[in-house]
Amino acid sequence: AQTVTQSQPEMSVQEAETVTLSCTYDTSESNYYLFWYKQPPSRQMILVIRQEAYKQQNATENRFSVNFQKAAKSFSLKISDSQLGDTAMYFCAFIQTQGGSEKLVFGKGTKLTVNP
Amino acid sequence: DAGVTQSPTHLIKTRGQQVTLRCSPKSGHDTVSWYQQALGQGPQFIFQYYEEEERQRGNFPDRFSGHQFPNYSSELNVNALLLGDSALYLCASSLRSGYGNTIYFGEGSWLTVV
């Protein structure tokens, strides 16, 4: 089965500090895409960052960066200079293909709280 | 540029009833997928529509059905509602061509079954 595991149900960090959220996945595909989505209390799923598996360089989007370890099937998210607005659920996901169509497979999420 | 829009935002139904949820994809997108997110869980894939046909289906019973219209908008229908169908239903849209295109989500429809 192709799965995503987020081992940290909840995390907290002080404002302006750095926090890392963990994610491991299992897929039999050789090329795939990985994503981190943020879901604030408004419940809308917002794309934070994406990584293409064939690219060795780790993706970066402003204060957000990933540590992608393909051999270990690990995809962690680092948030630098944490802000109160970063408080949300964070979901790790990858794209699974079947018959030419794609779907996202999500982990159970990590609840991040940024404290003032 | 309008994003993914869903309606209604919230609704309450009685066990055994039927419900229809609606979704308009992001401008320029031709593929719509539906996900169910139970409280405290990650979203689970229900099915995907492209060119008005169901292309892939997750592990959901036949009570869950859908439709895609020529303008790419989509509906999710759930029959014979169960208490366990209470969840946030998320619509996602993307562009079919090209593997790995970014998938955008709507704000969801909260369904409560009583």
Side-chain angles (χ1 to χ4, degrees):
Chain A
Q2 304 196 43
T3 58
V4 176
T5 301
Q6 294 180 248
S7 59
Q8 305 149 316
E10 294 192 38
M11 293 191 72
S12 63
V13 63
Q14 292 299 121
E15 196 174 6
E17 292 187 347
T18 296
V19 63
T20 299
L21 308 183
S22 301
C23 171
T24 58
Y25 60 93
D26 185 19
T27 178
S28 56
E29 300 187 16
S30 58
N31 188 26
Y32 47 90
Y33 288 76
L34 295 158
F35 303 86
W36 278 98
Y37 279 90
K38 167 185 176 180
Q39 189 177 44
S42 67
R43 304 297 285 181
Q44 181 166 18
M45 200 74 73
I46 301 166
L47 178 66
V48 174
I49 199 166
R50 58 178 268 163
Q51 172 80 42
E52 299 171 45
Y54 68 87
K55 288 187 175 179
Q56 293 185 340
Q57 185 174 5
N58 289 325
T60 299
E61 287 288 342
N62 301 314
R63 298 183 295 107
F64 299 88
S65 62
V66 299
N67 183 5
F68 174 48
Q69 302 290 328
K70 190 173 183 178
K73 294 185 177 177
S74 171
F75 183 59
S76 61
L77 174 69
K78 185 172 81 171
I79 305 174
S80 304
D81 186 25
S82 296
Q83 300 175 0
L84 296 178
D86 295 334
T87 293
M89 286 291 293
Y90 286 81
F91 291 95
C92 177
F94 73 87
I95 281 185
Q96 181 182 51
T97 57
Q98 180 179 324
S101 67
E102 304 171 356
K103 71 175 185 183
L104 284 166
V105 178
F106 286 89
K108 291 188 175 182
T110 295
K111 182 179 180 181
L112 176 66
T113 301
V114 180
N115 299 307
Chain B
D1 179 18
V4 181
T5 57
Q6 294 186 241
S7 63
T9 305
H10 295 83
L11 69 167
I12 300 173
K13 290 286 187 178
T14 302
R15 193 171 40 182
Q17 284 188 319
Q18 179 263 344
V19 68
T20 297
L21 308 178
R22 295 175 177 82
C23 171
S24 292
K26 180 178 170 62
S27 179
H29 285 183
D30 56 9
T31 301
V32 173
S33 301
W34 288 91
Y35 291 80
Q36 181 196 65
Q37 186 179 16
L39 204 60
Q41 301 293 317
Q44 298 290 317
F45 176 79
I46 302 175
F47 43 53
Q48 182 182 88
Y49 278 84
Y50 170 70
E51 289 186 339
E52 303 178 48
E53 290 188 13
E54 184 181 293
R55 299 293 177 170
Q56 186 179 175
R57 188 179 183 91
N59 189 25
F60 281 81
D62 291 344
R63 299 186 297 109
F64 289 77
S65 64
H67 188 78
Q68 185 179 36
F69 299 94
N71 67 352
Y72 306 120
S73 67
S74 176
E75 288 182 349
L76 165 65
N77 301 292
V78 186
N79 295 321
L81 284 167
L82 303 174
L83 296 180
D85 295 331
S86 295
L88 178 69
Y89 288 85
L90 294 165
C91 175
S93 76
S94 59
L95 193 58
R96 174 76 167 186
S97 62
Y99 173 49
N101 285 328
T102 297
I103 298 171
Y104 294 87
F105 285 84
E107 294 187 358
S109 294
W110 265 116
L111 171 65
T112 300
V113 182
V114 298

